[in-house]
Short mmCIF file of all heavy atoms in Angstrom, two decimals:
data_model
loop_
_atom_site.label_atom_id
_atom_site.label_comp_id
_atom_site.label_asym_id
_atom_site.label_seq_id
_atom_site.Cartn_x
_atom_site.Cartn_y
_atom_site.Cartn_z
N LYS U 396 96.46 76.98 118.24
CA LYS U 396 97.22 75.75 118.47
C LYS U 396 97.22 74.88 117.22
O LYS U 396 98.13 74.08 117.00
CB LYS U 396 96.65 74.99 119.65
CG LYS U 396 96.84 75.68 120.99
CD LYS U 396 96.26 74.85 122.13
CE LYS U 396 96.49 75.54 123.47
NZ LYS U 396 95.91 74.76 124.60
N MET U 397 96.21 75.05 116.39
CA MET U 397 96.03 74.20 115.22
C MET U 397 96.71 74.78 113.96
O MET U 397 97.24 74.04 113.13
CB MET U 397 94.53 74.03 114.96
CG MET U 397 94.16 72.99 113.95
SD MET U 397 92.36 72.78 113.95
CE MET U 397 92.19 71.50 112.72
N VAL U 398 96.69 76.10 113.83
CA VAL U 398 97.22 76.77 112.64
C VAL U 398 98.07 77.96 113.08
O VAL U 398 97.59 78.85 113.78
CB VAL U 398 96.08 77.25 111.72
CG1 VAL U 398 96.62 78.04 110.53
CG2 VAL U 398 95.26 76.06 111.23
N SER U 399 99.31 78.00 112.65
CA SER U 399 100.22 79.06 113.09
C SER U 399 99.94 80.40 112.40
O SER U 399 100.20 81.46 112.97
CB SER U 399 101.68 78.65 112.85
OG SER U 399 101.91 78.39 111.47
N ILE U 400 99.41 80.35 111.17
CA ILE U 400 99.11 81.59 110.45
C ILE U 400 97.59 81.66 110.25
O ILE U 400 97.06 81.28 109.21
CB ILE U 400 99.85 81.67 109.10
CG1 ILE U 400 101.36 81.49 109.32
CG2 ILE U 400 99.57 83.01 108.41
CD1 ILE U 400 102.18 81.46 108.04
N GLU U 401 96.90 82.10 111.27
CA GLU U 401 95.44 82.20 111.24
C GLU U 401 94.96 83.48 110.57
O GLU U 401 93.89 83.52 109.99
CB GLU U 401 94.88 82.17 112.67
CG GLU U 401 94.86 80.81 113.31
CD GLU U 401 93.68 79.96 112.88
OE1 GLU U 401 92.95 80.37 111.96
OE2 GLU U 401 93.48 78.88 113.47
N ALA U 402 95.76 84.53 110.69
CA ALA U 402 95.36 85.82 110.13
C ALA U 402 96.61 86.59 109.75
O ALA U 402 97.67 86.44 110.39
CB ALA U 402 94.52 86.61 111.12
N ILE U 403 96.51 87.41 108.72
CA ILE U 403 97.64 88.21 108.26
C ILE U 403 97.21 89.67 108.11
O ILE U 403 96.03 89.97 107.94
CB ILE U 403 98.22 87.70 106.93
CG1 ILE U 403 97.14 87.67 105.83
CG2 ILE U 403 98.85 86.33 107.11
CD1 ILE U 403 97.68 87.31 104.44
N GLU U 404 98.19 90.55 108.16
CA GLU U 404 97.95 91.98 108.03
C GLU U 404 99.11 92.59 107.24
O GLU U 404 100.28 92.35 107.56
CB GLU U 404 97.86 92.63 109.41
CG GLU U 404 97.69 94.14 109.38
CD GLU U 404 97.66 94.72 110.79
OE1 GLU U 404 98.58 94.40 111.59
OE2 GLU U 404 96.74 95.49 111.10
N ALA U 405 98.79 93.35 106.21
CA ALA U 405 99.85 94.03 105.46
C ALA U 405 100.45 95.14 106.31
O ALA U 405 99.75 95.78 107.09
CB ALA U 405 99.29 94.60 104.16
N GLU U 406 101.74 95.37 106.15
CA GLU U 406 102.41 96.38 106.96
C GLU U 406 102.02 97.79 106.55
O GLU U 406 101.89 98.67 107.40
CB GLU U 406 103.93 96.21 106.85
CG GLU U 406 104.45 94.94 107.49
CD GLU U 406 105.96 94.81 107.39
OE1 GLU U 406 106.59 95.69 106.74
OE2 GLU U 406 106.52 93.85 107.93
N ASN U 407 101.85 98.03 105.26
CA ASN U 407 101.63 99.40 104.78
C ASN U 407 100.42 99.54 103.87
O ASN U 407 100.30 100.53 103.15
CB ASN U 407 102.88 99.88 104.04
CG ASN U 407 104.10 99.94 104.94
OD1 ASN U 407 104.08 100.60 105.98
ND2 ASN U 407 105.15 99.23 104.56
N LYS U 408 99.54 98.55 103.90
CA LYS U 408 98.34 98.59 103.08
C LYS U 408 97.15 98.14 103.93
O LYS U 408 97.30 97.35 104.86
CB LYS U 408 98.47 97.66 101.88
CG LYS U 408 99.57 98.04 100.89
CD LYS U 408 99.17 99.24 100.05
CE LYS U 408 100.23 99.53 98.99
NZ LYS U 408 99.84 100.67 98.13
N PRO U 409 95.93 98.58 103.59
CA PRO U 409 94.74 98.14 104.34
C PRO U 409 94.26 96.77 103.86
O PRO U 409 93.19 96.63 103.27
CB PRO U 409 93.73 99.25 104.06
CG PRO U 409 94.09 99.74 102.69
CD PRO U 409 95.60 99.64 102.61
N ILE U 410 95.08 95.73 104.12
CA ILE U 410 94.78 94.38 103.65
C ILE U 410 94.89 93.41 104.81
O ILE U 410 95.90 93.39 105.53
CB ILE U 410 95.76 93.96 102.53
CG1 ILE U 410 95.71 94.94 101.36
CG2 ILE U 410 95.43 92.54 102.05
CD1 ILE U 410 96.75 94.65 100.28
N TRP U 411 93.84 92.58 104.96
CA TRP U 411 93.81 91.60 106.04
C TRP U 411 93.26 90.27 105.53
O TRP U 411 92.45 90.23 104.60
CB TRP U 411 92.92 92.07 107.19
CG TRP U 411 93.39 93.34 107.83
CD1 TRP U 411 94.25 93.47 108.89
CD2 TRP U 411 93.03 94.68 107.45
NE1 TRP U 411 94.44 94.80 109.19
CE2 TRP U 411 93.71 95.56 108.33
CE3 TRP U 411 92.20 95.22 106.46
CZ2 TRP U 411 93.58 96.95 108.25
CZ3 TRP U 411 92.08 96.60 106.36
CH2 TRP U 411 92.77 97.43 107.26
#
Side-chain angles (χ1 to χ4, degrees):
K396 292 181 179 179
M397 191 173 181
V398 176
S399 59
I400 305 177
E401 284 279 8
I403 57 174
E404 177 182 51
E406 292 181 356
N407 298 304
K408 296 286 185 178
I410 303 174
W411 299 270

